Amino acid sequence: VEWRKWPGANDVQCPGGKDLFSAASAFTMTAPWKDILCNVQLIQYVAPIAVDSALLEGVLMRTKDDPNASDVVNYAPFTLLPSAVPSSLLEQAYSVQQDFNLLVDEVSRNAEFLERTLASTVKVDDFTAQLFKIYKQVLKEGITQSVFLGINRSDYMFDYGAEGTPALKQIEINTIAASFGGLTSRTTAVHRHVLNVLGKSKEASKLLTNNPAKGIATGIAKAWELYGSDRAVVMFLVEEAQRNIFDQRCVENELWMRNIRVIRRRFKDVFEKASLDNDKRLHIDGEEIAVVYYREGYVPKNYNKQNWEARLLLERSRAVKCPDIATQLAGTKKVQQELSRPGTLEKLLPNKPEAVARLRATFTGLYSMEMDEEGDKIIAMAIADPDRFVLKPQREGGGNNLYGEELKQVLEKIKDSPERTSYILMDKIKPLPALNYLLRAHSPLKVSECVSELGIFGVYVRLGQDLVVNKHVGHLLRTKAVEHADGGVAAGVAVLDTPYVI
Ligand code: ADP
Ligand code: MG
Ligand code: MG
């Protein structure tokens, strides 16, 4: 074995011996790579090979220091080895995705439901209130958009509850700017190569092919086609700092391959240069826009006064917004909590008892903290046992949730204030840890106890009242070290992974 040193890092740190695998749990999920994990020399040898493979395959990110330049880039963080995923749970996640697509679409079309569900939240949460204001204004003017495109990602963890068998439990559904469909399309090849180099070609051949970038592009292409203007373009609405451009380029290039032109613009460009014609068609720089694909606009920091105006202009237009403002609101944590209330799914999806049962099976405990007696009880319950729960504000992108002692302190502070309705409370999901190496530029190479989060990408297209496309288009596995309560690859916590089905 050729000995190569991990660039700029310490030696592999691996607490050797049998206690590494002593917890039965860690053993189950780590078992496929048991013979490799503590072979320090082998790990040292294969880690740089894995990194080179990631660079070759295009698993890339721009750097924090230079987020808008592509002349110095690095690999996106990823696991050295694929992580075990129970096959029944992967299948279950795929088989409920069309139900989630349908559900999100139904919620987005149900003004009464959105209004009632978000009523208390918009009083105390400025960001949701702003979105809601735009929603109401567009409703009042009348919606001119007739083609609707949803691209979402439903995320899960595997909960090992008291019974000791894993259960698929939803963390959340992302209805705006759900990312990593591009880079994850390329991660499988990296892990396949790593396993081959490690002499595990049988295991390598078992890795599932996965191409959400293509599926997402197919959805955008269908929406573009139904919009019905050959000359019109697709506009990716992008952030000021574009670290994750390669993930987006994967989708973008799929569209160019179909001869659909793509332009990239920021809110600022829209504010300065976009306009609507008499027909509410959207134009910018001499181009008509058929589809606006948001990879921006999901957190307060994306907005200033001008950007809110730009958002309103886009929403008023005839262009297909992915998502439209209603669908963004359908993805709030408050809506997620309301969906779990007994009877809600049945009302939203009448005559679909099987879909309702499949959806409900993925829900864990979600609790509202309205200003009533029930809300008081929930808060007392959480303060008494904070480690059982996660406290979530109406935010996206990772790093916003509260856990443990901090959860308790915040609840104690806001328990008598309406501010409490800007949060929801959720049962903490407890997955089994497994051992892996998280490869991240400029970080030491050491074994970590990790947990994974599985996401399934869903795409749907609706023309007027008819759902003409409703599918799942692939998966994303993200893995993080257990010491981080919160997640997110862009947030710098989780890394890209590939499921190894067991
Ligand atoms: P965001 O929209 O910011 O991604 P999430 O609901 O996905 O919000 O929460 C962020 C991260 O927090 C998740 O990726 C996961 O790691 C962790 N998390 C969220 N909810 C739970 C939960 N109920 N149990 C355990 N971990 C959770
Ligand atoms: Mg989210
Ligand atoms: Mg999330």
Side-chain angles (χ1 to χ4, degrees):
V1 176
E2 185 195 351
W3 177 270
R4 281 207 273 166
K5 200 82 177 176
W6 182 250
N10 309 326
D11 287 351
V12 175
Q13 299 157 14
C14 195
K18 57 180 184 306
D19 61 315
L20 190 57
F21 300 101
S22 62
S25 61
F27 174 75
T28 316
M29 299 304 274
T30 308
W33 322 126
K34 201 180 166 206
D35 54 330
I36 295 166
L37 273 160
C38 279
N39 186 336
V40 175
Q41 263 195 328
L42 193 58
I43 297 292
Q44 280 277 11
Y45 169 69
V46 85
I49 293 176
V51 167
D52 288 347
S53 179
L55 292 164
L56 272 174
E57 295 294 339
V59 183
L60 303 173
M61 260 184 157
R62 284 175 172 169
T63 62
K64 220 185 223 141
D65 292 340
D66 222 345
N68 288 324
S70 289
D71 47 357
V72 179
V73 298
N74 220 321
Y75 59 95
F78 66 102
T79 58
L80 179 64
L81 297 159
S83 293
V85 168
S87 65
S88 60
L89 302 191
L90 184 70
E91 272 168 38
Q92 189 190 351
Y94 267 107
S95 66
V96 73
Q97 188 54 43
Q98 281 153 307
D99 303 322
F100 272 116
N101 291 347
L102 195 64
L103 180 64
V104 169
D105 187 48
E106 285 300 327
V107 170
S108 79
R109 298 162 74 182
N110 192 329
E112 192 270 323
F113 176 81
L114 281 175
E115 177 118 37
R116 179 166 42 80
T117 302
L118 296 171
S120 54
T121 309
V122 296
K123 282 192 199 132
V124 285
D125 185 66
D126 286 345
F127 179 61
T128 314
Q130 280 283 357
L131 294 171
F132 198 75
K133 203 172 124 197
I134 292 178
Y135 169 61
K136 291 294 281 185
Q137 182 160 348
V138 176
L139 272 187
K140 201 169 105 204
E141 269 181 39
I143 297 169
T144 46
Q145 177 178 349
S146 57
V147 180
F148 294 83
L149 167 64
I151 296 173
N152 64 57
R153 200 190 66 223
S154 181
D155 292 335
Y156 308 89
M157 279 183 170
F158 312 134
D159 195 24
Y160 281 75
E163 302 93 69
T165 44
L168 185 79
K169 291 295 166 191
Q170 188 183 47
I171 295 280
E172 62 152 350
I173 189 159
N174 294 289
T175 61
I176 180 165
S179 58
F180 293 107
L183 297 188
T184 195
S185 301
R186 291 150 183 260
T187 312
T188 314
V190 178
H191 284 126
R192 205 171 271 147
H193 181 61
V194 167
L195 292 183
N196 276 330
V197 171
L198 290 168
K200 301 225 169 240
S201 55
K202 201 171 103 253
E203 288 83 352
S205 66
K206 266 181 65 182
L207 298 182
L208 307 167
T209 49
N210 182 37
N211 199 342
K214 192 168 172 190
I216 290 168
T218 307
I220 297 175
K222 185 69 186 173
W224 175 86
E225 180 197 315
L226 291 173
Y227 180 85
S229 169
D230 286 351
R231 296 174 320 276
V233 302
V234 172
M235 177 169 79
F236 281 33
L237 195 89
V238 296
E239 288 177 276
E240 289 288 337
Q242 296 168 42
R243 266 196 91 185
N244 207 11
I245 192 167
F246 300 108
D247 183 54
Q248 298 163 9
R249 292 280 197 218
C250 293
V251 178
E252 190 179 324
N253 291 6
E254 287 281 345
L255 290 166
W256 281 103
M257 283 199 286
R258 293 167 170 77
N259 289 320
I260 297 173
R261 291 184 302 135
V262 177
I263 61 171
R264 300 170 61 86
R265 293 291 186 277
R266 301 158 306 169
F267 271 135
K268 186 175 190 295
D269 306 309
V270 172
F271 177 78
E272 286 169 1
K273 294 185 289 184
S275 62
L276 304 186
D277 64 18
N278 290 339
D279 232 9
K280 291 206 181 156
R281 290 180 183 274
L282 177 65
H283 300 267
I284 192 167
D285 298 321
E287 304 279 9
E288 179 179 347
I289 295 160
V291 180
V292 180
Y293 174 45
Y294 288 101
R295 293 296 297 257
E296 150 82 324
Y298 53 95
V299 280
K301 76 167 174 12
N302 295 155
Y303 291 94
N304 56 24
K305 195 161 172 287
Q306 297 187 343
N307 292 3
W308 279 119
E309 275 181 47
R311 179 74 196 257
L312 176 62
L313 181 90
L314 298 176
E315 293 304 321
R316 292 176 61 225
S317 79
R318 184 177 291 273
V320 183
K321 272 79 62 183
C322 179
D324 67 344
I325 194 109
T327 307
Q328 181 172 358
L329 289 169
T332 52
K333 275 114 186 145
K334 182 64 199 174
V335 165
Q336 180 188 7
Q337 172 264 304
E338 184 58 34
L339 291 173
S340 77
R341 199 187 284 279
T344 306
L345 286 180
E346 288 79 358
K347 267 193 219 121
L348 289 166
L349 300 173
N351 315 318
K352 290 202 162 50
E354 284 122 11
V356 167
R358 282 191 294 266
L359 289 161
R360 191 177 308 289
T362 69
F363 292 169
T364 186
L366 286 144
Y367 314 90
S368 133
M369 293 178 293
E370 294 294 324
M371 298 302 288
D372 53 20
E373 232 173 85
E374 195 198 318
D376 292 343
K377 270 194 217 147
I378 298 296
I379 290 176
M381 169 180 85
I383 287 175
D385 198 357
D387 286 329
R388 248 188 68 202
F389 303 100
V390 182
L391 184 63
K392 298 190 174 188
Q394 310 305 309
R395 292 291 176 270
E396 297 296 330
N400 301 299
N401 300 335
L402 299 163
Y403 306 82
E405 193 52 36
E406 208 184 347
L407 172 153
K408 189 172 154 188
Q409 278 168 15
V410 168
L411 278 185
E412 269 164 356
K413 202 173 107 213
I414 63 170
K415 70 180 170 23
D416 299 316
S417 147
E419 198 191 333
R420 73 192 209 186
T421 61
S422 68
Y423 293 88
I424 62 149
L425 190 71
M426 185 173 185
D427 282 344
K428 196 194 276 175
I429 299 167
K430 300 199 164 127
L432 285 186
L435 301 169
N436 211 327
Y437 293 83
L438 308 182
L439 304 182
R440 190 179 274 124
H442 316 298
S443 297
L445 186 60
K446 65 172 179 21
V447 76
S448 301
E449 238 187 297
C450 302
V451 292
S452 301
E453 184 172 342
L454 173 71
I456 305 292
F457 288 95
V459 170
Y460 61 90
V461 180
R462 174 162 53 82
L463 176 62
Q465 302 298 311
D466 301 326
L467 213 52
V468 292
V469 174
N470 179 7
K471 14 182 222 191
H472 49 69
V473 297
H475 54 263
L476 167 71
L477 192 72
R478 292 172 299 166
T479 293
K480 64 174 185 181
V482 289
E483 51 269 26
H484 296 286
D486 221 76
V489 177
V493 173
V495 309
L496 301 171
D497 199 348
T498 299
Y500 179 77
V501 177
I502 53 169

